[in-house]
Amino acid sequence: MAARRGSLPLVAVLLALLCRAEAAVRELKVGYYAETCPEAEGIVREVVARARAREARSVASVMRLQFHDCFVNGCDGSVLMDATPTMLGEKDALSNINSLRSFEVVDEIKEALEERCPGVVSCADIVVMAARDAVVLTGGPNWEVRLGREDSLTASQEDSDSIMPSPRANASALIRLFAGLNLSVTDLVALSGSHSIGEARCFSIVFRLYNQSGSGRPDPNMDSAYRRALNALCPRGGDEEVTGGMDATPRVFDNRYFKDLVALRGFLNSDQTLFSDNARTRRVVKRFSEDQDAFFRAFVEGMIKMGELQNPRKGEIRRNCRVANGSPSPATPKEVAAYRVMDF
């Protein structure tokens, strides 16, 4: 009997933990804010449209935030968090530092929503709505987004560094990454089509131009005329912060990106590899290059699937997307540098 009495608290603890874990995975649904903040989606689109009017490139940057958020421990707004004296943020991860941008657009959206519906709309949901609107406002497809996410309490630079792919990634590595997130080869190729809009830095392609795979030579999977244009944009030893369009129509969401890959005019190695290095991804690239509607349908399906990735830990609705509620002020650059070298 003593053993049985001793086991009851353990059972109660396990049941409590199970209930807590189940509660943390929230049910997402279309129209989640219909009663609590009915103007939420309209406010988000209005702010994104204003940002686009100020700087056309900003909407592509906003859309990219969803990828870098959802791939690292689920869609929880962690990518938006600034570093603190005790936490390295994902903004400083290898794939994000000096690259991710337009956080101020999310700040502007959050400020407008807090004024209208304080404490209601999560930053994670803002990212998902804004990504959809970025596509729509540049000529791409529209879709209904499922909402109801919570914001994480922390961010993890380490997790971002271990998960997010490099611009040098090949098709096989990308297939494995996406498969680990229950995303198919078609999802991979369709979601890569997000590069239909936006720009990338010379930093991400100089190796392709001058030293592909350590060969001392350019990537052979590159149209010669396109390579000459990129050589002019990104000369050896030049300013690697200069940017170029990731396809020939970087302000319009269309299937030009795939046409460019077929023509060996992909900007990033991780883009061109989808056509040049793998038969499975090549078939999908060719199909999308010939059928824009097929690309749009697959892109919407992929965005919805990616948006279902959730962080199982209990979260909150942040009042400021850059910091957890009740957290200390963001760290200064000197504090971030010091934290990086601390021995834990």
Side-chain angles (χ1 to χ4, degrees):
M1 291 293 291
R4 185 173 182 181
R5 282 197 301 272
S7 68
L8 285 175
L10 176 60
V11 171
V13 168
L14 291 174
L15 285 173
L17 289 173
L18 179 61
C19 291
R20 185 181 302 171
E22 288 178 345
V25 178
R26 298 169 66 86
E27 180 182 356
L28 308 179
K29 65 179 183 179
V30 172
Y32 181 83
Y33 298 110
E35 295 183 3
T36 56
C37 191
E39 298 175 75
E41 294 193 46
I43 290 171
V44 173
R45 184 163 296 190
E46 180 182 343
V47 175
V48 173
R50 287 204 304 265
R52 177 172 177 253
R54 291 194 300 264
E55 184 203 16
R57 182 187 172 196
S58 66
V59 289
S61 302
V62 167
M63 177 176 61
R64 189 175 172 216
L65 292 175
Q66 179 174 343
F67 289 75
H68 288 245
D69 187 34
C70 295
F71 273 35
V72 181
N73 300 320
C75 310
D76 59 3
S78 58
V79 75
L80 305 174
M81 301 184 79
D82 288 342
T84 71
T86 57
M87 183 194 75
L88 291 177
E90 293 165 25
K91 292 178 180 179
D92 292 322
L94 293 174
S95 62
N96 299 341
I97 192 168
N98 298 324
S99 178
L100 283 189
R101 56 196 300 277
S102 293
F103 294 104
E104 71 281 356
V105 178
V106 177
D107 294 338
E108 187 178 346
I109 295 169
K110 183 61 173 173
E111 183 178 347
L113 287 169
E114 286 297 300
E115 183 176 330
R116 193 68 54 87
C117 320
V120 173
V121 182
S122 69
C123 301
D125 277 346
I126 288 173
V127 169
V128 171
M129 287 186 277
R132 183 268 313 273
D133 294 340
V135 174
V136 174
L137 291 169
T138 50
N142 194 5
W143 67 95
E144 292 187 307
V145 288
R146 289 159 54 81
L147 304 170
R149 298 164 187 81
E150 288 185 334
D151 298 321
S152 66
L153 304 179
T154 61
S156 174
Q157 179 183 320
E158 181 180 2
D159 288 348
S160 183
D161 282 338
S162 67
I163 294 170
M164 294 305 299
S166 160
R168 303 186 182 207
N170 61 35
S172 297
L174 292 170
I175 289 171
R176 288 193 297 271
L177 169 65
F178 276 65
L181 299 170
N182 291 321
L183 296 169
S184 67
V185 169
T186 298
D187 295 327
L188 160 61
V189 177
L191 291 173
S192 296
S194 63
H195 290 171
S196 169
I197 56 174
E199 301 175 9
R201 297 178 296 160
C202 288
F203 171 82
S204 299
I205 65 164
V206 288
F207 72 96
R208 290 191 70 205
L209 297 175
Y210 306 110
N211 192 27
Q212 178 77 327
S213 303
S215 66
R217 300 177 61 81
D219 183 354
N221 295 312
M222 188 182 297
D223 172 73
S224 58
Y226 184 61
R227 184 175 67 247
R228 288 193 295 272
L230 292 183
N231 286 340
L233 179 71
C234 308
R236 191 193 299 266
D239 182 357
E240 295 187 353
E241 295 303 309
V242 170
T243 61
M246 288 191 282
D247 76 354
T249 57
R251 301 288 182 262
V252 180
F253 194 94
D254 56 17
N255 71 334
R256 182 73 214 190
Y257 165 84
F258 298 105
K259 295 178 185 291
D260 286 351
L261 297 187
V262 173
L264 303 185
R265 287 173 167 256
F267 192 83
L268 299 177
N269 190 80
S270 54
D271 290 329
Q272 190 59 56
T273 186
L274 299 176
F275 180 77
S276 299
D277 299 331
N278 187 281
R280 295 169 67 195
T281 53
R282 183 182 303 117
R283 283 193 294 270
V284 186
V285 169
K286 288 196 69 175
R287 176 158 58 91
F288 290 163
S289 74
E290 297 165 355
D291 188 342
Q292 181 168 279
D293 289 340
F295 162 49
F296 281 5
R297 289 192 298 270
F299 182 82
V300 168
E301 181 177 342
M303 289 293 280
I304 291 171
K305 289 170 68 174
M306 179 171 60
E308 296 292 316
L309 299 172
Q310 288 198 55
N311 186 335
R313 299 187 184 95
K314 180 65 178 172
E316 64 181 4
I317 306 300
R318 281 186 226 136
R319 293 186 295 272
N320 178 341
C321 291
R322 293 176 180 261
V323 294
N325 297 337
S327 291
S329 300
T332 65
K334 183 178 292 187
E335 289 172 326
V336 172
Y339 184 68
R340 281 199 183 100
V341 300
M342 290 176 67
D343 184 16
F344 289 94

